Amino acid sequence: MRTWSLMHLVALSVIGITCGALFAGWNLIWGALTPLFALVLPLQYLLLAGTWVIAGPLAGLIIKRRGAALAGELIAASVSFLLASQWSIDALFSGAVQGLGAELVFAIFGYRVWGWPVVIFAGAASGVGMALHDLPLYFAGVDAGYAAALAAAMVVSGALLGGGGALVLHRALRRSGALGVIGA
Amino acid sequence: MPESQHSTLPDIEIADLVWQPSGADAPTLDLRGSNIRVAAGETLLISGASGAGKSTLAAAVAGLLGTLLPGTLRGTLRVGGVDLVAAAAEGAAGVPRELLGPLGFVAAGPAPRHALPRLLDDVALPLESRGVSAELLASRAHAAIISAGLPIDAAERDVASLSGGERAQAAAATALVSTPGLVIADEPLAGLDATRAGALAALLMEQRATRVIVTHDVTQFGAATVRLHLDRGRVVELPAVELPTVRAEGQRDVAAQPAGERGVVVLQLFAAASSARGAVGAVSATVHAGELLLVRGETGSGKSTLLALAAGTLSADAGERHVSASRIRYTPQDPGLLLGARSVHQLLPAGEWPRAAEVAAALNVAELLDRPAARCSDGERRRLALVVTAAAEPDLLIADEPTLGLDDEAAARVSALLANLAARGVALLVATHDSRLQMRHARVLQHPDATAQGELLREAPLAERGVELARELLAPAPVKRLLGVSNPLTRFGLAAFWFLLSLISPATALAQGAVALPALIVAWSSGVHLISTLRLAAALAPAIVGMVLANLLGGATPEAAFGAGVRLLAFAAGSLVLLRPFEPLRLADAAMQHLRAPFAPTLTLLASAATLPPLMSEARERRAIRRLAKPGVDPFLLADLFDAAIRAVPRLATALEVRAVRLPSRLQPATALRPSRFGRADLLLILLSAGGLLFSVARVVIETITLGS
């Protein structure tokens, strides 16, 4: 198993914190758009929600070590919480289940396989985590069909925006040479 | 014994040392056939051309290669008896402990090299991690700051707000505060004026330590015992430096003109000032076409601010700026801001490549045009940044310290290039400390000059006064004095408590709403942040409305839909206590002192958090500078932000490592410069939440009894 050095610890913190700043901005956009999308909330989840799970797949993909995905998503969620978001400390619990989803997928592949299908799968698993957390808490009373549509939107969005977004950012960082400096 | 005063000084043994960073196709340091010995207490002075491997050798002796920075180290390297090649081969996670204890390290600037934002905290960190008692921390840190030549009030300032030269002094203060037995300094005098450079060199030389000093200014360190001259990663015999004689074409014609008729005015600044650089007074300057205007002045006098105002990357909120130049290019003091990790060819449109090749040849970096800047040395990056800006054939070229850290030959080439550009009619505005940059036809602007120094009285704009008033209303001083400021841990704890409370039932959530109001008053009395308050309100109100609507449409009963909305409101009540400005370091202190959070991971996390605001402004500044270079193309800010974040990782990791944050063991809890206390405000917040809990429990009990009967 690969060991963690201070360089990886710093890289993890910096990625998590930058994603947290992104989340804080996203919270604001999400809040402002909710009334507009109220009629078709699953659509809003499909178009926007996946960005909230990007930290796990991205941290896992860059650092490639046990625990990176979970810790990355948790750090990002903490920053989102500490910057006073509408979800308050619930952001931490969301972050934990979402990060756990991505972490489980990377663990299933033994932290050895980092191809795009695995990363997309990790994003989708984060979306499953989001569904497990959000549905009972915010949509306890809705019909089964509506709940299924929401869950599907979360998983697809997680795969495309979370997993896919992490892949795009990772490629941009590798191309610009930024990843070379941390030996990743 | 964590400190080195009484132990023996380390000696250094280097033989056949080869370093190949991971990802590079060739070694960047190759000392095969060289055998270097530095006895205890001696000084090794490393000089050489830019890109010769000087910084690499300094990092090697500090034990950073192969342990912190990824790559392969071969040969022999022993420092104080510690085998650093073996440590690198074993994949040791960081500098070996025996070496980290007595280490004092000055990393090369001008990129940020501090770990914590406030100077006093940063200077005290190497002492904290070595277990120096809390009473001694502040006095020793202050003493180090003063002896490095900084004024005492600099201790409370942000390192990022210091000028390039002041940051060099700050770096020396941090390296020397722990009275290290091994001092390694990479261009420690860069950016300082002659007087301050002399003083700092003397300070470095009087330490009781074994020293490794990288410098292009060997005359400042006359007492050095072992000298090494590197070229392209190898040791070379010290040659008599022969400066290239580059003649500027047409220079005579330009010089023949009287100064006043040299050309049209391309840029004029009159009493310009920016609130972002409050420490600097208003600046004025006029630049003509074909003129080389050198801005000189003491460390910290505001030369860089003048240049950023002239370039327009820093917007002036007072005074005037008139521009007639259509193409302005700006080479910032930190070339990384312009280059990022990219190569010159990636940055320039193909149409400018031929001109770039010419300029690169003149600066002797022609073979580097395709190499990502992340793989170039500091001196190479500095010249590549000039290539990028000069290749665009601008009307006005602004350059901040273009010869900083360059060897004599490279500096002479830069001088020649600048003279050539002026001769072609380009207006040049150059800030420098470097006495080597002396051109016969340059006009020198001493900064700050007598006219600029007068304080400009100006009326604050109406909007600004409105914000000021709102800020005072949100942070009333008398209430704050009465209650004090709440501990970040209390606020964190309350947010968690309120969340759990609201999960119990919507009735509890309603009770919480009642508690939230007085809590808001407490938060408000300790000074809430206007922007975060507005942001929270703007995000929360529509989110609740949308949530209730969506639940109703999804088939939930009105009660359930309303309950979901109230629950979201109740969660958000937890955020009310977070509306005070977020201070990462105070939270870290509280966590370490009261919750026994481990020293190294907590500080790593919080030092990273503290770099977020500078990273954001760096990403914005990079974008402004690049927009100057490539109008129309507007790179995505998010990609820039992540790029800046990842590039900051090695320097932050190195900064934390050389401050020995890894050292404290579990047996020896970290002492603290900033004691974290619980006060009246905390007590009030806790009592309020306890009241909320009692209220909810009482309600539930009463309901049960009434239903039962």
Side-chain angles (χ1 to χ4, degrees):
Chain A
M1 193 59 219
R2 302 178 203 213
T3 53
W4 282 81
S5 79
L6 188 64
M7 181 80 92
H8 301 117
L9 205 57
V10 174
L12 172 72
S13 315
V14 166
I15 293 166
I17 283 161
T18 313
C19 287
L22 169 68
F23 290 1
W26 215 246
N27 289 336
L28 196 57
I29 295 173
W30 179 272
L33 290 181
T34 312
L36 298 181
F37 276 102
L39 295 180
V40 272
L41 200 65
L43 186 63
Q44 188 182 8
Y45 269 93
L46 184 66
L47 294 179
L48 297 177
T51 305
W52 274 314
V53 303
I54 200 172
L58 185 65
L61 191 55
I62 289 178
I63 295 166
K64 297 191 169 61
R65 273 164 181 76
R66 184 179 303 217
L70 176 59
E73 186 75 37
L74 263 178
I75 293 171
S78 317
V79 172
S80 160
F81 158 60
L82 288 171
L83 290 176
S85 84
Q86 65 263 44
W87 322 113
S88 188
I89 206 159
D90 186 36
L92 289 187
F93 302 105
S94 296
V97 286
Q98 291 162 12
L100 209 56
E103 187 70 39
L104 276 177
V105 170
F106 291 137
I108 286 170
F109 289 93
Y111 301 99
R112 277 168 218 284
V113 191
W114 301 97
W116 66 266
V118 178
V119 181
I120 295 282
F121 189 17
S126 293
V128 172
M130 184 191 289
L132 289 177
H133 170 271
D134 282 20
L135 291 181
L137 204 55
Y138 297 116
F139 305 98
V142 300
D143 303 335
Y146 192 78
L150 278 172
M154 290 176 197
V155 174
V156 173
S157 186
L160 295 183
L161 286 177
L167 283 168
V168 169
L169 265 179
H170 182 255
R171 205 175 62 156
L173 290 174
R174 205 182 47 210
R175 277 206 184 153
S176 76
L179 289 185
V181 299
I182 59 167
Chain B
M1 193 63 211
E3 294 202 61
S4 60
Q5 286 130 314
H6 309 294
S7 54
T8 51
L9 299 176
D11 58 337
I12 303 169
E13 184 188 345
I14 306 168
D16 305 313
L17 193 68
V18 181
W19 164 251
Q20 184 161 351
S22 63
D25 37 18
T28 54
L29 183 70
D30 187 350
L31 302 183
R32 272 176 290 192
S34 304
N35 200 331
I36 304 146
R37 273 167 201 281
V38 184
E42 283 192 331
T43 302
L44 168 64
L45 196 65
I46 308 170
S47 61
S50 308
K54 296 174 301 210
S55 300
T56 312
L57 184 54
V61 180
L64 294 167
L65 297 190
T67 54
L68 188 69
L69 304 169
T72 321
L73 192 64
R74 291 190 303 269
T76 308
L77 175 61
R78 280 176 204 280
V79 179
V82 182
D83 187 344
L84 292 176
V85 175
E90 286 162 16
V95 179
R97 272 171 172 262
E98 305 89 318
L99 197 56
L100 201 50
L103 179 65
F105 186 81
V106 180
R113 46 202 148 166
H114 56 281
L116 300 179
R118 194 175 63 140
L119 181 62
L120 184 64
D121 300 334
D122 191 49
V123 173
L125 185 53
L127 297 176
E128 272 191 76
S129 59
R130 286 174 174 85
V132 172
S133 68
E135 307 86 67
L136 292 175
L137 279 179
S139 59
R140 282 187 63 180
H142 277 119
I145 290 169
I146 292 167
S147 62
L150 286 165
I152 185 76
D153 56 348
E156 300 299 323
R157 284 175 63 189
D158 266 5
V159 181
S161 74
L162 301 176
S163 80
E166 287 167 335
R167 275 186 247 170
Q169 293 173 314
T174 314
L176 300 180
V177 70
S178 58
T179 54
L182 175 65
V183 174
I184 299 175
D186 192 349
E187 295 286 4
L189 312 180
L192 288 170
D193 59 58
T195 323
R196 286 177 171 81
L200 195 58
L203 178 71
L204 284 165
M205 292 307 282
E206 67 190 39
Q207 301 295 314
R208 188 180 168 272
T210 308
R211 273 168 292 260
V212 177
I213 293 172
V214 174
T215 183
H216 67 268
D217 194 0
V218 291
T219 53
Q220 292 280 12
F221 298 96
T225 36
V226 187
R227 284 157 192 268
L228 198 60
H229 193 79
L230 299 179
D231 189 27
R232 287 167 202 271
R234 292 174 174 279
V235 177
V236 294
E237 289 298 311
L238 200 63
V241 180
E242 209 168 298
L243 299 184
T245 45
V246 187
R247 268 186 54 85
E249 337 136 18
Q251 196 174 345
R252 193 172 300 149
D253 306 339
V254 176
Q257 292 174 2
E261 297 163 26
R262 190 163 291 164
V264 291
V265 172
V266 295
L267 180 108
Q268 207 166 13
L269 282 181
F270 178 70
S274 165
S275 53
R277 312 265 171 98
V280 174
V283 294
S284 302
T286 309
V287 196
H288 304 85
E291 177 187 49
L292 175 56
L293 180 58
L294 288 182
V295 184
R296 293 187 186 276
E298 289 184 11
T299 299
S301 64
K303 297 187 295 295
S304 298
T305 305
L306 190 154
L307 262 54
L309 283 168
T313 55
L314 184 66
S315 58
D317 37 35
E320 293 167 37
R321 172 176 182 258
H322 301 289
V323 194
S324 64
S326 54
R327 285 166 85 83
I328 301 180
R329 291 294 181 271
Y330 173 40
T331 320
Q333 193 171 24
D334 179 1
L337 288 179
L338 179 64
L339 300 171
R342 294 171 178 79
S343 73
V344 172
H345 278 164
Q346 280 173 309
L347 280 168
L348 287 179
E352 289 176 5
W353 288 12
R355 177 72 185 132
E358 273 174 50
V359 180
L363 295 180
N364 204 12
V365 285
E367 73 276 24
L368 301 178
L369 292 179
D370 275 316
R371 186 181 295 182
R375 294 248 188 83
C376 297
S377 79
D378 286 322
E380 288 166 346
R381 273 204 289 267
R382 189 160 296 282
R383 282 175 288 164
L384 289 173
L386 261 183
V387 171
V388 169
T389 47
E393 307 258 10
D395 304 315
L396 170 61
L397 177 62
I398 299 170
D400 198 352
E401 298 281 0
T403 55
L404 190 76
L406 294 185
D407 60 272
D408 288 346
E409 190 204 319
R413 285 176 180 274
V414 169
S415 297
L417 173 75
L418 296 180
N420 255 321
L421 288 169
R424 293 162 72 124
V426 178
L428 291 139
L429 177 60
V430 177
T432 185
H433 281 117
D434 197 338
S435 53
R436 294 174 300 175
L437 200 62
Q438 264 170 350
M439 274 158 284
R440 280 179 32 228
H441 311 298
R443 184 158 70 89
V444 176
L445 177 73
Q446 277 297 336
H447 184 75
D449 60 11
T451 56
Q453 249 174 349
E455 259 310 300
L456 206 68
L457 285 175
R458 59 192 173 97
E459 190 76 352
L462 194 63
E464 210 170 284
R465 272 184 289 170
V467 169
E468 199 55 43
L469 189 68
R471 203 167 281 153
E472 272 171 31
L473 277 174
L474 287 170
V479 191
K480 196 167 166 182
R481 262 202 303 278
L482 185 70
L483 289 175
V485 173
S486 58
N487 193 296
L489 271 189
T490 307
R491 295 191 260 151
F492 204 89
L494 286 190
F497 173 76
W498 283 354
F499 172 75
L500 295 175
L501 202 59
S502 57
L503 281 185
I504 301 174
S505 80
T508 329
L510 276 179
Q512 232 178 311
V515 181
L517 194 65
L520 180 63
I521 293 172
V522 175
W524 162 75
S525 65
S526 6
V528 301
H529 194 249
L530 179 62
I531 304 294
S532 346
T533 314
L534 291 178
R535 204 177 49 201
L536 181 62
L540 184 60
I544 292 175
V545 174
M547 183 73 76
V548 174
L549 279 178
N551 264 287
L552 286 173
L553 282 163
T557 58
E559 287 75 33
F562 183 65
V566 170
R567 181 167 286 167
L568 189 56
L569 181 67
F571 290 175
S575 277
L576 291 178
V577 286
L578 292 165
L579 291 179
R580 270 200 63 223
F582 172 48
E583 290 167 282
L585 274 169
R586 302 300 167 265
L587 181 61
D589 289 336
M592 286 189 290
Q593 290 170 35
H594 302 298
L595 299 181
R596 300 191 172 203
F599 187 71
T602 311
L603 263 173
T604 303
L605 204 53
L606 277 298
S608 310
T611 58
L612 185 63
L615 279 180
M616 299 273 256
S617 62
E618 186 186 323
R620 254 183 247 120
E621 195 178 346
R622 278 175 70 184
R623 209 157 67 124
I625 291 170
R626 282 222 224 110
R627 206 183 285 150
L628 266 182
K630 261 196 203 178
V633 182
D634 196 4
F636 191 31
L637 182 63
L638 188 64
D640 263 342
L641 181 60
F642 274 96
D643 203 70
I646 298 286
R647 285 194 314 115
V649 169
R651 66 181 190 226
L652 188 59
T654 306
L656 286 165
E657 182 78 14
V658 300
R659 283 163 180 73
V661 293
R662 243 172 356 95
L663 274 188
S665 66
R666 274 175 207 182
L667 296 173
Q668 183 190 41
T671 55
L673 179 63
R674 310 159 293 269
S676 167
R677 295 192 183 87
F678 288 94
R680 273 175 287 198
D682 298 291
L683 188 66
L684 193 58
L685 279 173
I686 291 167
L687 285 179
L688 276 173
S689 342
L693 180 65
L694 277 178
F695 181 78
S696 314
V697 170
R699 223 187 120 119
V700 172
V701 170
I702 291 169
E703 270 174 15
T704 324
I705 293 170
T706 0
L707 285 179
S709 61

